[in-house]
Amino acid sequence: MLTKYIEVAMHQATYELLEDGTFYGRIPDCQGVWANAETLEACRDELQEVLEGWILLGLQLGHQLPVLDDIDLSFKKEAA
């Protein structure tokens, strides 16, 4: 499930070639997940690393992560 979530998020990524010749990538549904690198391949790699860290931190802090392609990684608290 985690691998599929990352795959779906990466397919939603957008990339832009900046004036300085570097690439900027972001995942619109994942606030704060972005990367900048010299090549498109390096930008993709860095973006995936940022996404993975963002997911882990979000889960650790109990944040509500966006549901992507019907994949919900957020923990549900059971009613007592």
Side-chain angles (χ1 to χ4, degrees):
M1 179 164 53
L2 177 59
T3 300
K4 183 66 177 170
Y5 188 92
I6 292 168
E7 184 179 294
V8 168
M10 291 301 295
H11 282 300
Q12 294 179 358
T14 61
Y15 299 93
E16 181 180 344
L17 179 60
L18 301 179
E19 288 182 15
D20 67 358
T22 63
F23 289 86
Y24 169 78
R26 70 185 192 97
I27 301 173
D29 287 340
C30 301
Q31 186 177 357
V33 177
W34 64 272
N36 181 254
E38 296 291 323
T39 67
L40 181 57
E41 184 177 341
C43 186
R44 285 183 181 139
D45 290 344
E46 185 176 326
L47 187 62
Q48 184 167 332
E49 285 183 34
V50 170
L51 173 63
E52 290 169 359
W54 180 84
I55 291 168
L56 292 174
L57 182 62
L59 291 173
Q60 182 180 22
L61 297 175
H63 291 173
Q64 185 72 29
L65 300 178
V67 176
L68 302 179
D69 203 24
D70 294 326
I71 303 169
D72 187 355
L73 294 181
S74 300
F75 290 106
K76 307 284 189 255
K77 292 186 179 181
E78 305 228 357

PDB file of all heavy atoms in Angstrom, residues 1-6 8 65-74:
ATOM      1  N   MET A   1       0.824  -1.185   0.000  1.00  0.00           N
ATOM      2  CA  MET A   1       0.000   0.000   0.000  1.00  0.00           C
ATOM      3  C   MET A   1       0.876   1.260   0.000  1.00  0.00           C
ATOM      4  O   MET A   1       0.571   2.211  -0.703  1.00  0.00           O
ATOM      5  CB  MET A   1      -0.942  -0.028   1.204  1.00  0.00           C
ATOM      6  CG  MET A   1      -1.809   1.197   1.261  1.00  0.00           C
ATOM      7  SD  MET A   1      -3.270   1.146   2.315  1.00  0.00           S
ATOM      8  CE  MET A   1      -2.674   0.649   3.887  1.00  0.00           C
ATOM      9  N   LEU A   2       1.932   1.286   0.786  1.00  0.00           N
ATOM     10  CA  LEU A   2       2.817   2.447   0.834  1.00  0.00           C
ATOM     11  C   LEU A   2       3.506   2.657  -0.516  1.00  0.00           C
ATOM     12  O   LEU A   2       3.584   3.784  -1.013  1.00  0.00           O
ATOM     13  CB  LEU A   2       3.852   2.285   1.947  1.00  0.00           C
ATOM     14  CG  LEU A   2       4.892   3.393   2.083  1.00  0.00           C
ATOM     15  CD1 LEU A   2       4.212   4.732   2.350  1.00  0.00           C
ATOM     16  CD2 LEU A   2       5.866   3.063   3.199  1.00  0.00           C
ATOM     17  N   THR A   3       3.973   1.575  -1.113  1.00  0.00           N
ATOM     18  CA  THR A   3       4.635   1.668  -2.409  1.00  0.00           C
ATOM     19  C   THR A   3       3.672   2.225  -3.461  1.00  0.00           C
ATOM     20  O   THR A   3       4.052   3.089  -4.261  1.00  0.00           O
ATOM     21  CB  THR A   3       5.158   0.287  -2.852  1.00  0.00           C
ATOM     22  OG1 THR A   3       6.092  -0.172  -1.866  1.00  0.00           O
ATOM     23  CG2 THR A   3       5.830   0.352  -4.200  1.00  0.00           C
ATOM     24  N   LYS A   4       2.442   1.754  -3.463  1.00  0.00           N
ATOM     25  CA  LYS A   4       1.444   2.227  -4.421  1.00  0.00           C
ATOM     26  C   LYS A   4       1.144   3.708  -4.189  1.00  0.00           C
ATOM     27  O   LYS A   4       0.993   4.481  -5.139  1.00  0.00           O
ATOM     28  CB  LYS A   4       0.164   1.381  -4.310  1.00  0.00           C
ATOM     29  CG  LYS A   4      -0.885   1.745  -5.313  1.00  0.00           C
ATOM     30  CD  LYS A   4      -0.442   1.422  -6.735  1.00  0.00           C
ATOM     31  CE  LYS A   4      -1.560   1.726  -7.713  1.00  0.00           C
ATOM     32  NZ  LYS A   4      -1.126   1.660  -9.093  1.00  0.00           N
ATOM     33  N   TYR A   5       1.057   4.133  -2.923  1.00  0.00           N
ATOM     34  CA  TYR A   5       0.809   5.538  -2.586  1.00  0.00           C
ATOM     35  C   TYR A   5       1.920   6.418  -3.161  1.00  0.00           C
ATOM     36  O   TYR A   5       1.651   7.443  -3.785  1.00  0.00           O
ATOM     37  CB  TYR A   5       0.720   5.689  -1.073  1.00  0.00           C
ATOM     38  CG  TYR A   5       0.284   7.054  -0.594  1.00  0.00           C
ATOM     39  CD1 TYR A   5      -1.061   7.329  -0.364  1.00  0.00           C
ATOM     40  CD2 TYR A   5       1.201   8.057  -0.335  1.00  0.00           C
ATOM     41  CE1 TYR A   5      -1.486   8.563   0.093  1.00  0.00           C
ATOM     42  CE2 TYR A   5       0.805   9.305   0.120  1.00  0.00           C
ATOM     43  CZ  TYR A   5      -0.544   9.553   0.337  1.00  0.00           C
ATOM     44  OH  TYR A   5      -0.952  10.791   0.785  1.00  0.00           O
ATOM     45  N   ILE A   6       3.158   6.003  -2.955  1.00  0.00           N
ATOM     46  CA  ILE A   6       4.306   6.752  -3.470  1.00  0.00           C
ATOM     47  C   ILE A   6       4.265   6.790  -4.992  1.00  0.00           C
ATOM     48  O   ILE A   6       4.491   7.836  -5.609  1.00  0.00           O
ATOM     49  CB  ILE A   6       5.627   6.155  -2.950  1.00  0.00           C
ATOM     50  CG1 ILE A   6       5.742   6.397  -1.437  1.00  0.00           C
ATOM     51  CG2 ILE A   6       6.831   6.732  -3.694  1.00  0.00           C
ATOM     52  CD1 ILE A   6       6.849   5.626  -0.763  1.00  0.00           C
ATOM     53  N   VAL A   8       1.619   6.555  -6.983  1.00  0.00           N
ATOM     54  CA  VAL A   8       0.528   7.442  -7.409  1.00  0.00           C
ATOM     55  C   VAL A   8       0.937   8.903  -7.231  1.00  0.00           C
ATOM     56  O   VAL A   8       0.736   9.732  -8.124  1.00  0.00           O
ATOM     57  CB  VAL A   8      -0.762   7.130  -6.623  1.00  0.00           C
ATOM     58  CG1 VAL A   8      -1.823   8.212  -6.835  1.00  0.00           C
ATOM     59  CG2 VAL A   8      -1.318   5.771  -7.019  1.00  0.00           C
ATOM     60  N   LEU A  65      -2.997  12.642   6.105  1.00  0.00           N
ATOM     61  CA  LEU A  65      -2.364  12.675   4.793  1.00  0.00           C
ATOM     62  C   LEU A  65      -3.454  12.657   3.725  1.00  0.00           C
ATOM     63  O   LEU A  65      -4.516  12.085   3.926  1.00  0.00           O
ATOM     64  CB  LEU A  65      -1.447  11.471   4.609  1.00  0.00           C
ATOM     65  CG  LEU A  65      -0.294  11.350   5.607  1.00  0.00           C
ATOM     66  CD1 LEU A  65       0.500  10.090   5.345  1.00  0.00           C
ATOM     67  CD2 LEU A  65       0.601  12.565   5.554  1.00  0.00           C
ATOM     68  N   PRO A  66      -3.175  13.283   2.573  1.00  0.00           N
ATOM     69  CA  PRO A  66      -4.186  13.274   1.518  1.00  0.00           C
ATOM     70  C   PRO A  66      -4.434  11.857   1.003  1.00  0.00           C
ATOM     71  O   PRO A  66      -3.511  11.042   0.937  1.00  0.00           O
ATOM     72  CB  PRO A  66      -3.579  14.156   0.425  1.00  0.00           C
ATOM     73  CG  PRO A  66      -2.122  14.174   0.689  1.00  0.00           C
ATOM     74  CD  PRO A  66      -1.962  13.987   2.163  1.00  0.00           C
ATOM     75  N   VAL A  67      -5.668  11.579   0.670  1.00  0.00           N
ATOM     76  CA  VAL A  67      -6.018  10.298   0.060  1.00  0.00           C
ATOM     77  C   VAL A  67      -5.706  10.425  -1.430  1.00  0.00           C
ATOM     78  O   VAL A  67      -6.187  11.338  -2.094  1.00  0.00           O
ATOM     79  CB  VAL A  67      -7.517   9.976   0.274  1.00  0.00           C
ATOM     80  CG1 VAL A  67      -7.901   8.700  -0.444  1.00  0.00           C
ATOM     81  CG2 VAL A  67      -7.833   9.885   1.763  1.00  0.00           C
ATOM     82  N   LEU A  68      -4.870   9.523  -1.916  1.00  0.00           N
ATOM     83  CA  LEU A  68      -4.477   9.539  -3.324  1.00  0.00           C
ATOM     84  C   LEU A  68      -4.957   8.264  -3.998  1.00  0.00           C
ATOM     85  O   LEU A  68      -4.621   7.168  -3.554  1.00  0.00           O
ATOM     86  CB  LEU A  68      -2.954   9.662  -3.460  1.00  0.00           C
ATOM     87  CG  LEU A  68      -2.294  10.880  -2.830  1.00  0.00           C
ATOM     88  CD1 LEU A  68      -0.787  10.819  -3.032  1.00  0.00           C
ATOM     89  CD2 LEU A  68      -2.860  12.171  -3.404  1.00  0.00           C
ATOM     90  N   ASP A  69      -5.762   8.413  -5.019  1.00  0.00           N
ATOM     91  CA  ASP A  69      -6.258   7.267  -5.786  1.00  0.00           C
ATOM     92  C   ASP A  69      -6.900   6.227  -4.867  1.00  0.00           C
ATOM     93  O   ASP A  69      -6.640   5.034  -4.977  1.00  0.00           O
ATOM     94  CB  ASP A  69      -5.113   6.660  -6.604  1.00  0.00           C
ATOM     95  CG  ASP A  69      -5.598   5.876  -7.805  1.00  0.00           C
ATOM     96  OD1 ASP A  69      -6.706   6.144  -8.291  1.00  0.00           O
ATOM     97  OD2 ASP A  69      -4.852   4.983  -8.255  1.00  0.00           O
ATOM     98  N   ASP A  70      -7.692   6.714  -3.916  1.00  0.00           N
ATOM     99  CA  ASP A  70      -8.399   5.886  -2.922  1.00  0.00           C
ATOM    100  C   ASP A  70      -7.464   5.187  -1.925  1.00  0.00           C
ATOM    101  O   ASP A  70      -7.883   4.264  -1.229  1.00  0.00           O
ATOM    102  CB  ASP A  70      -9.308   4.847  -3.585  1.00  0.00           C
ATOM    103  CG  ASP A  70     -10.464   5.476  -4.345  1.00  0.00           C
ATOM    104  OD1 ASP A  70     -10.957   6.528  -3.884  1.00  0.00           O
ATOM    105  OD2 ASP A  70     -10.873   4.926  -5.378  1.00  0.00           O
ATOM    106  N   ILE A  71      -6.219   5.607  -1.850  1.00  0.00           N
ATOM    107  CA  ILE A  71      -5.286   5.041  -0.872  1.00  0.00           C
ATOM    108  C   ILE A  71      -5.193   6.016   0.296  1.00  0.00           C
ATOM    109  O   ILE A  71      -4.765   7.157   0.132  1.00  0.00           O
ATOM    110  CB  ILE A  71      -3.888   4.803  -1.476  1.00  0.00           C
ATOM    111  CG1 ILE A  71      -3.984   3.885  -2.696  1.00  0.00           C
ATOM    112  CG2 ILE A  71      -2.945   4.213  -0.423  1.00  0.00           C
ATOM    113  CD1 ILE A  71      -2.702   3.804  -3.499  1.00  0.00           C
ATOM    114  N   ASP A  72      -5.579   5.553   1.469  1.00  0.00           N
ATOM    115  CA  ASP A  72      -5.581   6.377   2.679  1.00  0.00           C
ATOM    116  C   ASP A  72      -4.587   5.787   3.672  1.00  0.00           C
ATOM    117  O   ASP A  72      -4.816   4.711   4.217  1.00  0.00           O
ATOM    118  CB  ASP A  72      -6.983   6.407   3.277  1.00  0.00           C
ATOM    119  CG  ASP A  72      -7.129   7.368   4.437  1.00  0.00           C
ATOM    120  OD1 ASP A  72      -6.113   7.971   4.857  1.00  0.00           O
ATOM    121  OD2 ASP A  72      -8.252   7.514   4.936  1.00  0.00           O
ATOM    122  N   LEU A  73      -3.479   6.480   3.880  1.00  0.00           N
ATOM    123  CA  LEU A  73      -2.442   5.997   4.799  1.00  0.00           C
ATOM    124  C   LEU A  73      -2.679   6.434   6.241  1.00  0.00           C
ATOM    125  O   LEU A  73      -1.989   5.959   7.144  1.00  0.00           O
ATOM    126  CB  LEU A  73      -1.065   6.494   4.365  1.00  0.00           C
ATOM    127  CG  LEU A  73      -0.525   5.973   3.036  1.00  0.00           C
ATOM    128  CD1 LEU A  73       0.861   6.554   2.787  1.00  0.00           C
ATOM    129  CD2 LEU A  73      -0.470   4.460   3.026  1.00  0.00           C
ATOM    130  N   SER A  74      -3.612   7.323   6.465  1.00  0.00           N
ATOM    131  CA  SER A  74      -3.837   7.853   7.807  1.00  0.00           C
ATOM    132  C   SER A  74      -4.414   6.775   8.715  1.00  0.00           C
ATOM    133  O   SER A  74      -5.229   5.951   8.284  1.00  0.00           O
ATOM    134  CB  SER A  74      -4.792   9.040   7.761  1.00  0.00           C
ATOM    135  OG  SER A  74      -4.246  10.061   6.967  1.00  0.00           O
TER     136      SER A  74
END
